[in-house]
Amino acid sequence: MRSMNIIDSWGQACLVINQSLPYKSFNGMMKINLKNRRILKQTLPCRPFSSVTVSATTREDEKDVKEAEGAKMENEFNFKVYVVEKAISVNKALDEAIMVKDPPMIHEAMRYSLLAGGKRVRPMLCLAACDLVGGNQGNAMAAACAVEMIHTMSLIHDDLPCMDDDDLRRGKPTNHKVYGEDVAVLAGDALLAFAFEYLATATIGVSPSRILVAVAELAKSVGTEGLVAGQVADLACTGNPNVGLEMLEFIHIHKTAALLEASVVIGAILGGGADEEVDKLRRFARCIGLLFQVVDDILDVTKSSEELGKTAGKDLAVDKTTYPKLLGLEKAKEFAAELNGEAKQQLAAFDSHKAAPLVALADYIAYRQN
């Protein structure tokens, strides 16, 4: 499936970066069945391609792999094995990417949050998409680390008193509670900057033109057409009782889904995916990106802080608009199921064996408990 027909030169790559496709809103999905709508065509402009211990490298994890492998049926995809193996690989790469050096405090702060655990969903999506289109883990590992660095930056900044003001993240005190607000801001800034450096310089086995497109894709997902736009809208709407589904969708497509989408698309680009493959995977990713936030909203009102590893009920406490608040809990669950189904439809044209990790990751996002 590897194809270089899209960008065989720097000039062609630049043309690709400047192209975009229109999208329609997800708004109204609960009134009209997803299967009867062109739901995937709005909000984010896109291109046709457009000193902390590593938690997953413990003996317990290695034991988990062996146990899971022992139970694995021949030729059957085992999601538990996949998750543990990829988490070990990603955490090892992250640990090696950012070492403690002068000045030590900033690097320790970066590592504190980056290596604090977490699901590693975005890196896994990136690696799985790369493999699906014919690439290999080495092609996308730097990108997988880059998206996790940016995700960690967003969490550090999101937890600050001037933003969501949270004291707990991944079951640990938030970065600013350990290192102070000033260092936390700088740790986030450093992670953001280094993510692009790492993607540009540590990617192996991929042409410079494809790396360029991947850098542009990642940048767009973070800025005023992605994460930043969603965060600003979220801040502006907190406490506003008149926020509707359309604005709620805008917030979450940008604040949450954009980076998830970029994770998948970048993996496909670096893996050598052709136009149509990247486009299908972009649509898949947009569905699971919104699905991730719908489930997050549901968990916020149904789980405890101990179960979540972060403060539960926070959205309700600050009067944020959420999907359960607007739709009701049961309708929000129905919406999540529809999004999961639509996501999987985008994978139908791919080899089912190679698509199995993405199918399983979609189900994991839909049915996760924290």
Side-chain angles (χ1 to χ4, degrees):
M1 284 190 181
R2 291 180 69 83
S3 170
M4 287 301 294
N5 63 317
I6 309 244
I7 47 169
D8 290 324
S9 70
W10 286 92
Q12 287 175 297
C14 292
L15 287 174
V16 170
I17 291 166
N18 290 321
Q19 293 176 17
S20 63
L21 293 176
Y23 283 86
K24 291 186 182 179
S25 175
F26 282 88
N27 185 35
M29 279 181 164
M30 297 310 299
K31 297 178 182 177
I32 302 174
N33 192 292
L34 278 176
K35 295 179 182 178
N36 299 322
R37 288 190 43 139
R38 292 174 59 82
I39 61 166
L40 299 173
K41 297 267 192 187
Q42 176 174 344
T43 311
L44 290 178
C46 78
R47 300 163 289 283
F49 251 2
S50 334
S51 6
V52 180
T53 318
V54 181
S55 60
T57 56
T58 63
R59 291 181 180 176
E60 286 145 354
D61 284 325
E62 291 169 359
K63 182 181 177 183
D64 282 346
V65 173
K66 290 177 182 178
E67 287 177 356
E69 284 176 336
K72 186 177 180 180
M73 300 295 291
E74 187 176 358
N75 296 324
E76 182 180 324
F77 178 70
N78 189 310
F79 186 56
K80 181 179 179 181
V81 170
Y82 184 87
V83 167
V84 174
E85 289 180 344
K86 294 304 178 187
I88 290 173
S89 297
V90 169
N91 281 319
K92 182 176 183 293
L94 289 170
D95 182 45
E96 293 172 351
I98 300 178
M99 309 295 288
V100 176
K101 55 186 177 182
D102 289 332
M105 181 179 287
I106 189 64
H107 294 96
E108 288 168 1
M110 293 164 70
R111 288 169 59 85
Y112 175 81
S113 293
L114 186 64
L115 303 178
K119 307 171 193 69
R120 306 308 191 205
V121 170
R122 291 157 191 81
M124 286 186 207
L125 288 168
C126 184
L127 296 172
C130 180
D131 180 67
L132 179 57
V133 299
N136 60 65
Q137 181 168 294
N139 300 143
M141 183 56 78
C145 291
V147 296
E148 190 67 10
M149 290 174 196
I150 290 177
H151 174 55
T152 303
M153 172 278 295
S154 74
L155 300 182
I156 293 172
H157 286 179
D158 202 42
D159 291 335
L160 290 168
C162 63
M163 303 286 271
D164 278 4
D165 190 16
D166 221 325
D167 299 341
L168 190 66
R169 174 70 68 179
R170 292 172 173 169
K172 297 181 179 182
T174 47
N175 198 288
H176 67 274
K177 286 294 179 181
V178 177
Y179 293 97
E181 293 178 37
D182 47 3
V183 173
V185 170
L186 294 171
D189 292 345
L191 283 167
L192 176 61
F194 187 65
F196 289 98
E197 177 186 341
Y198 197 68
L199 173 58
T201 62
T203 300
I204 58 174
V206 181
S207 69
S209 54
R210 285 188 178 267
I211 296 172
L212 174 62
V213 177
V215 168
E217 183 76 35
L218 185 57
K220 197 160 193 172
S221 75
V222 182
T224 57
E225 294 184 43
L227 191 156
V228 169
Q231 184 68 67
V232 169
D234 191 25
L235 290 170
C237 291
T238 298
N240 182 353
N242 299 315
V243 177
L245 277 174
E246 187 172 349
M247 178 52 70
L248 183 62
E249 177 191 314
F250 177 92
I251 291 169
H252 295 316
I253 284 287
H254 290 76
K255 183 179 177 181
T256 303
L259 189 57
L260 281 159
E261 180 178 326
S263 302
V264 173
V265 171
I266 290 169
I269 292 170
L270 297 176
D275 285 20
E276 59 272 19
E277 294 172 323
V278 176
D279 188 55
K280 283 184 173 67
L281 287 170
R282 185 185 292 281
R283 296 169 189 274
F284 162 81
R286 186 155 302 160
C287 283
I288 64 166
L290 189 56
L291 170 63
F292 193 97
Q293 187 59 52
V294 176
V295 173
D296 228 35
D297 286 355
I298 292 169
L299 293 175
D300 190 65
V301 297
T302 60
K303 297 293 180 179
S304 67
S305 298
E306 291 72 26
E307 290 172 305
L308 295 177
K310 60 182 180 180
T311 307
K314 190 72 183 295
D315 293 339
L316 184 64
V318 298
D319 198 24
K320 274 194 177 183
T321 302
T322 64
Y323 283 97
K325 183 177 178 180
L326 287 185
L327 300 175
L329 185 58
E330 291 308 311
K331 288 291 184 183
K333 290 180 178 179
E334 289 176 23
F335 186 29
E338 290 183 19
L339 286 167
N340 190 21
E342 182 64 25
K344 291 177 183 176
Q345 285 184 21
Q346 304 304 316
L347 301 176
F350 293 96
D351 177 88
S352 60
H353 177 71
K354 284 195 170 186
L358 288 178
V359 172
L361 281 163
D363 281 336
Y364 169 75
I365 290 169
Y367 303 118
R368 65 194 173 95
Q369 298 299 306
N370 58 37

